[in-house]
Amino acid sequence: MSERIAVIGGGLGGLSAAALLASEGFDVTLFEKNSNTGGKAAVIQGGGFSFDAGPSLLTMPFILHNLFTACGRNSDQYISLKKIEVICRYFYPDGTKIDAFADREKFKTEVHDKTGEPKDHLEKYLTYCQKIYDATADVFILNDFRSLKLFLSSTGLKSLLKLPQIDPLRTVHQANSSFFNDKRLVQLFDRYATYNGSSPFLAPATLNVIPHVEYTMGAYIPEGGIRRISEALQQLAEESGAVIRRGVQIDEIVTDGNKASGVRVDGKIYHFDRIISNADVNYTYEKLLNNPPRAEAKRYRKMEPSGSGLVFYWGVEKEFPGLEIHNILFSQDYENEFRELFEQKKIPSDPTVYVYISSKYHSSDAPRGGSNLFVMINTPYDNGKITEEEVQRTRETVISKVSTMTGEDIRPLIRFEDILTPRMIQERTNSRWGSIYGVSSNSRNAAFLRQANRSSSYKNLYFCGGSAHPGGGIPLVIQSGIIAANKVIEDTKRGSSG
Ligand SMILES: Cc1cc2nc3c(=O)[nH]c(=O)nc-3n(C[C@H](O)[C@H](O)[C@H](O)COP(=O)(O)OP(=O)(O)OC[C@H]3O[C@@H](n4cnc5c(N)ncnc54)[C@H](O)[C@@H]3O)c2cc1C
């Protein structure tokens, strides 16, 4: 008889774990509290406009392809990805505009033409970023670095030798300042620390792995939007045999000694051999486990959540030929912006604004002649300071910035509006205080403190998703689902009782 597996949560991590285990013959049931799967990667629709609710850019697509291959399928039959030529258009307060081209030569020329920075500085920088990737990918991203077997393998030993290359002692900003003369380029590359909700002025330079992932491996958008990834993973899980129960909230993980024996829903207990939580790790300890392991729960409670975001979804009756799919309007004083975010823990007074317009690629995302503006700023997690008045004040600041950039007041052109606040992120996905990327990566040892994919207290409890190893963001949460599923497969083969 195949083992019975419960997956709690239908985010991208949970769907990935469910798909892989079902394809291996496990009897998988995934419980999702919302009426749709996808978690943060949901969709928002209204007034003829469609918006990706959360993530807007896909990197490391090989992880997605690997998952489909591991399930015996071809990802091309489920999802079609387009490589983006201009990854992002950057607007600076001094009027400079820099296009970050995917093509390396074009990008070097653009950077040189706009800032005078010698072309070889960019080349040297991206080579340095690649070295960090080469030193970290096998051990820290694609696998569980806690595995002794991995460390004793040739891959693990090679990675150990490369450890000095991961640049953990400098901050992202210190490292970037050492490569570029022009402050605008430092700001451009500092921004990548925000990809996991961190500050470039605090987070270790190891995060400079991210520009490699984006510029050397490429940035992608799926046909049908990022939401197509959630749909494709759900389809993969169901075709592989997983049962997905939407609108079912798990109230408790029931334990018996050092085993998780089942889940409680509406007062009824359902028994399972193994349980994977795709819900936020802190929430799993605080709210789901009836008998949380004290040390782990306490350690996790103390860890600072990552930053969050405030998103305005504006359906606008206008097209914007001067904008790209992805655009950044930088703040005047980046250091102060992060001081406000991470020290004062408030919405920045002059925030950097991100504008994503998917209708530039999928015309059906907006009525003819219109655009769907996904406009996001970084915020702290929900610490009680993000009041309704604060949100409205920020809305005005952001609208003014976007209007100045486009050269036209967009207020009278808005036909549809929706807003996502950190509190709403918490309510919709149970992420602790609405943090987007689990725990903060603002310290050198953060990567080592993240929740492992297998619990050390309950032998048949596993974790996947943005707050577990290897971290947040689409490719990493899919990988976390793969790692958690592989742990289950390994444990079953070893005969470790579930
Ligand atoms: C505004 C925003 C912008 C982002 N931009 C990007 C980007 O451009 N690129 C990128 O790669 N990433 C981005 N991300 C991050 C990315 O979306 C997340 O890292 C990823 O989607 C999280 O997946 P997850 O598996 O952790 O699950 P989550 O999305 O956190 O989903 C967890 C699921 O578990 C369910 N659940 C929780 N508790 C229970 C329970 N008790 N019972 C049943 N179900 C439960 C929830 O309802 C939810 O569906 C962004 C996120 C946001 C919010």
Side-chain angles (χ1 to χ4, degrees):
M1 243 176 57
S2 59
E3 285 205 346
R4 298 189 68 216
I5 314 290
V7 179
I8 304 173
L12 301 181
L15 288 169
S16 305
L20 186 50
L21 287 173
S23 76
E24 288 285 328
F26 287 85
D27 178 359
V28 181
T29 308
L30 182 149
F31 299 92
E32 168 52 54
K33 75 175 178 64
N34 294 333
S35 52
N36 287 310
T37 58
K40 296 182 181 79
V43 58
I44 287 183
Q45 285 172 316
F49 297 91
S50 298
F51 302 83
D52 285 318
S56 52
L57 188 81
L58 172 69
T59 54
M60 302 170 88
F62 73 90
I63 291 182
L64 186 68
H65 297 313
N66 286 351
L67 172 67
F68 279 84
T69 308
C71 294
R73 313 280 162 140
N74 180 351
S75 58
D76 294 344
Q77 284 164 0
Y78 292 76
I79 191 158
S80 160
L81 302 179
K82 175 188 151 71
K83 190 167 179 198
I84 301 172
E85 295 302 322
V86 177
I87 297 175
C88 188
R89 177 162 288 172
Y90 290 92
F91 295 84
Y92 292 82
D94 68 0
T96 312
K97 206 164 65 183
I98 296 180
D99 281 346
F101 289 101
D103 181 281
R104 179 77 58 95
E105 287 311 311
K106 269 185 163 176
F107 191 24
K108 283 199 284 195
T109 304
E110 171 81 354
V111 159
H112 177 68
D113 290 352
K114 299 288 173 67
T115 67
E117 188 83 31
K119 287 185 181 180
D120 67 320
H121 288 189
L122 182 58
E123 189 62 46
K124 280 186 187 143
Y125 179 68
L126 290 174
T127 305
Y128 147 84
C129 297
Q130 169 148 19
K131 283 191 178 149
I132 301 180
Y133 179 85
D134 290 344
T136 51
D138 281 334
V139 171
F140 294 101
I141 302 176
L142 303 176
N143 289 294
D144 174 10
F145 64 84
R146 294 165 183 87
S147 154
L148 186 63
K149 209 166 84 193
L150 175 71
F151 260 104
L152 296 179
S153 69
S154 63
T155 310
L157 293 172
K158 270 189 214 147
S159 296
L160 273 183
L161 292 175
K162 289 182 192 158
L163 273 185
Q165 293 172 6
I166 70 172
D167 205 359
L169 301 180
R170 294 190 290 181
T171 64
V172 167
H173 179 73
Q174 284 165 344
N176 292 346
S177 303
S178 75
F179 280 93
F180 300 105
N181 303 326
D182 193 288
K183 286 198 165 46
R184 288 165 296 191
L185 294 176
V186 175
Q187 189 172 16
L188 191 155
F189 288 106
D190 274 2
R191 179 188 157 243
Y192 286 95
T194 66
Y195 273 33
N196 71 359
S198 310
S199 161
F201 301 94
L202 299 171
T206 312
L207 288 191
N208 283 330
V209 66
I210 304 173
H212 168 72
V213 159
E214 194 162 296
Y215 290 103
T216 310
M217 301 174 126
Y220 293 81
I221 185 164
E223 206 167 282
I226 291 284
R227 52 199 178 272
R228 183 65 205 126
I229 299 176
S230 314
E231 292 162 4
L233 291 184
Q234 181 181 314
Q235 193 184 339
L236 178 70
E238 288 185 319
E239 284 178 8
S240 303
V243 172
I244 298 187
R245 296 191 55 198
R246 295 178 204 83
V248 179
Q249 157 124 355
I250 299 298
D251 298 320
E252 184 182 328
I253 298 174
V254 182
T255 58
D256 179 7
N258 66 349
K259 273 181 71 177
S261 53
V263 295
R264 187 166 59 77
V265 182
D266 288 338
K268 268 180 102 178
I269 294 176
Y270 297 87
H271 289 283
F272 286 92
D273 298 305
R274 298 179 196 274
I275 296 172
I276 300 181
S277 178
N278 175 222
D280 180 272
V281 172
N282 187 68
Y283 163 85
T284 303
Y285 283 131
E286 300 287 328
K287 304 273 189 231
L288 289 183
L289 275 163
N290 66 347
N291 185 21
R294 261 207 235 133
E296 277 176 86
K298 189 171 158 203
R299 183 171 67 81
Y300 222 87
R301 201 178 303 139
K302 278 192 182 158
M303 286 168 74
E304 170 116 32
S306 79
S308 187
L310 178 60
V311 187
F312 301 96
Y313 309 90
W314 289 322
V316 175
E317 199 178 47
K318 186 176 165 55
E319 287 178 307
F320 297 95
L323 297 186
E324 277 293 330
I325 299 179
H326 302 278
N327 309 272
I328 284 285
L329 287 66
F330 270 128
S331 59
Q332 186 82 44
D333 184 345
Y334 215 36
E335 192 158 3
N336 187 53
E337 181 177 351
F338 285 93
R339 207 175 296 124
E340 290 182 330
L341 274 170
F342 290 97
E343 283 175 33
Q344 299 163 26
K345 296 200 169 38
K346 60 177 203 172
I347 295 183
S349 43
D350 172 25
T352 291
V353 177
Y354 167 61
V355 183
Y356 163 53
I357 314 176
S358 70
S359 58
K360 279 188 173 279
Y361 176 49
H362 319 112
S363 52
S364 60
D365 280 356
R368 187 188 285 268
S371 305
N372 64 343
L373 305 190
F374 166 111
V375 182
M376 177 174 171
I377 63 157
N378 295 312
T379 70
Y381 55 85
D382 183 18
N383 54 4
K385 286 190 191 167
I386 304 176
T387 59
E388 179 53 29
E389 297 77 65
E390 197 55 12
V391 170
Q392 287 310 320
R393 185 193 61 73
T394 307
R395 178 183 183 276
E396 269 313 297
T397 310
V398 171
I399 271 197
S400 301
K401 272 190 114 157
V402 175
S403 299
T404 307
M405 176 191 63
T406 56
E408 183 164 359
D409 185 4
I410 64 162
R411 286 177 190 83
L413 302 171
I414 296 176
R415 294 284 165 270
F416 169 83
E417 174 163 15
D418 204 346
I419 298 180
L420 182 72
T421 64
R423 186 156 308 162
M424 290 156 87
I425 295 175
Q426 157 141 354
E427 285 161 5
R428 288 179 193 173
T429 63
N430 283 338
S431 287
R432 182 191 190 194
W433 295 332
S435 67
I436 293 184
Y437 299 95
V439 290
S440 157
S441 298
N442 278 339
S443 72
R444 246 174 247 151
N445 51 359
F448 299 95
L449 297 174
R450 254 174 208 285
Q451 173 64 51
N453 303 100
R454 183 200 282 124
S455 163
S456 53
S457 303
Y458 293 104
K459 55 185 180 180
N460 56 344
L461 176 66
Y462 307 81
F463 293 90
C464 68
S467 54
H469 174 75
I474 302 170
L476 299 196
V477 301
I478 293 177
Q479 190 63 29
S480 78
I482 296 175
I483 299 174
N486 281 330
K487 297 267 171 212
V488 168
I489 296 166
E490 232 174 71
D491 290 350
T492 309
K493 281 193 187 144
R494 273 196 300 122
S496 145
S497 67

